[in-house]
Amino acid sequence: MRTISVLLALILASTAYAQQPTQINAYRYQVKKSVTASHGAVVSAHPLASQAGLQMLQQGGNAVDAAIATQLALAVVYPAAGNLGGGGFLVAHLKNGKDLAIDYREKAPAAASRDMYIDASGNANTKLSQDGHLASGVPGTVAGIFASLPYAKLTIQQLIAPAIMLAEKGFAITEKEAAGLNATQELFSKLNTQPNAFVRKKPWKTGDTLLQKDLAATLKRISTNGRAGFYEGETAALIIAEMKRGKGLITAADLKTYEAKERPAVSFYYKKYRIVTMPLPSSGGIALQQMMGMVEKYPLAAWGFHSVNAMQLMIEAERRAYADRAQYLGDPDFVKVPVKQLTSPEYLHTRMEDYDPHRAGSSKQTGAGTVYYESDETTHLSVMDSEGNAVSVTTTLNGGYGSKVVVGGAGFFLNNEMDDFSVKPGVPNMYGLVGTEANAVAPGKRMLSSMTPTIVLKKEKPYIVAGTPGGSTIITSVFQTLLNIIEFNLPTQQAVDAPKFHHQWLPDQVDVEEDFDEMPLQYLKEKGYKIVRRGAIGRTEVIKVNSKGQLEAAGDKRGDDSAAGY
Ligand code: GLY
């Protein structure tokens, strides 16, 4: 009898153990690049954030729960890009077949104006749109989380708990985070007058504890009061006080009236796959649809991965899509964008009519197409669950640590997203992107984004979830990663890690990562392309369903990106 009860106790204990959610140890954690899982998987820019998402899946939450918890944890453990003071986009394909796109992009404050970054001599002062209080749009992230919540199963208190714990008790920082904090100390000190968790006299080093008591208090106010815990009350008062100290524009009314918006997702077919991605105010979905439409009829798979033919075709598609982006795209609530025409097969066919495989194209000759009017820092996370839900979220402060302004007493960085507007037609932003009137600053307007959270469906079931940070290179990174899998048949991790190339119309050059093979580049140079080697392009997080129905999660080699699953 005793033997049986001991056995029973052991069986019960092992069952209970199997259902125990992963425990987060903020001081002992590991980056895991590749994880194969049967039930659910999360991949994000930080192992602790991926674990927070995994915990929610194991507690009975779905992919939306995991995405919310991961985002909130990223706001703590990845302050360079994870955020409460920024904005983002969520794209999901839900088990009931619904495509979902939630826009929580920042908005220009009501007091913003078209020429607010133009000085007396008529020159654009991009310092003001990039650093300090005037660079910040009205944050959207917390509104986005509450707009996503109806699709989740757990409570906000459950979803925010890991973030509160990590902020309040601290966590050990990685080598990359230490380097990022050290490199930005001077700007932090220059732009902040209040004490904060990020500035200290001695340099940060790997394994140091980052304690964020102010941020923990802000998270608790959100846990208790919902979105009003951020957009009203004490947190709002702290933001307004910070704006007053730094002569910023965000007011109590800007905060109170900010709203996330559900928008119809961009959905299109590439061969047998249906691709669901983000609409305006992101340029990502439209540009991705244009580029994929421009290359679809060519034999990419036969040409092969990083073959000169495939690369040249993709570069020319990128050139044309980015020229259109600069000319036509902006916040659809403010400008009329001819989306239907820009993405129609006829238009895309016409765009490629002057494509010449024997020589480099030219951005002087290839501007935006003719349309007749009928009338490094962002972060991405991908999640799939066992119920058939897939979620793709890209969220941003824009530059690393955003405006570098920490809201005094509230503990989070504000974005510098105003620089994603075209501050003056033709003047490049921090990513070298140019724009026109369509993306000019206006009160309450959302600045154009490149963020491209994307889901690929095969037979209407989630097949790939993908997305990346990287400013202007986001769209080309997603484009190449999808083709790496769909056309070039690369294993998931290789598809993510493969060196990337990028063309954005202006400047007329092909950027390639340092580790790109020299051979195809030599041939491209002979055809007349200017090749420029540069640092990392993107940090792509992918989950792909393999032929056995398992989830293959791949975190990008380029950062601390880490996968988790069960
Ligand atoms: N801040 C980068 C983007 O939204 O495109």
Side-chain angles (χ1 to χ4, degrees), residues 436-514:
T436 58
E437 205 54 47
N439 189 32
V441 185
K445 187 175 176 184
R446 286 163 151 97
M447 55 297 282
L448 188 62
S449 171
S450 299
M451 294 189 286
T452 316
T454 297
I455 295 168
V456 179
L457 305 172
K458 190 153 87 176
K459 297 191 177 142
E460 281 304 301
K461 295 275 178 255
Y463 173 49
I464 301 169
V465 184
T468 182
S472 59
T473 67
I474 291 174
I475 317 169
T476 46
S477 294
V478 172
F479 174 52
Q480 287 167 48
T481 305
L482 297 189
L483 292 181
N484 285 349
I485 297 174
I486 292 173
E487 291 286 2
F488 304 124
N489 213 15
L490 297 192
T492 313
Q493 189 70 51
Q494 222 176 306
V496 165
D497 290 344
K500 298 207 173 61
F501 55 93
H502 170 73
H503 195 296
Q504 60 178 44
W505 181 52
L506 293 177
D508 191 349
Q509 64 187 41
V510 184
D511 291 354
V512 298
E513 289 186 290
E514 293 293 357

Side-chain angles (χ1 to χ4, degrees), residues 89 105-106 281-283 325 377-378 394 396-399 416-417 420 429-431 433 447-452 470-472 474:
F89 301 124
R105 183 68 163 164
E106 301 92 326
S282 182
S283 61
R325 178 195 194 279
E377 202 64 46
T378 298
T394 315
T396 184
L397 285 170
N398 198 20
N416 58 346
E417 221 71 59
D420 270 348
N429 74 358
M430 63 193 278
Y431 302 110
L433 290 168
M447 55 297 282
L448 188 62
S449 171
S450 299
M451 294 189 286
T452 316
S472 59
I474 291 174

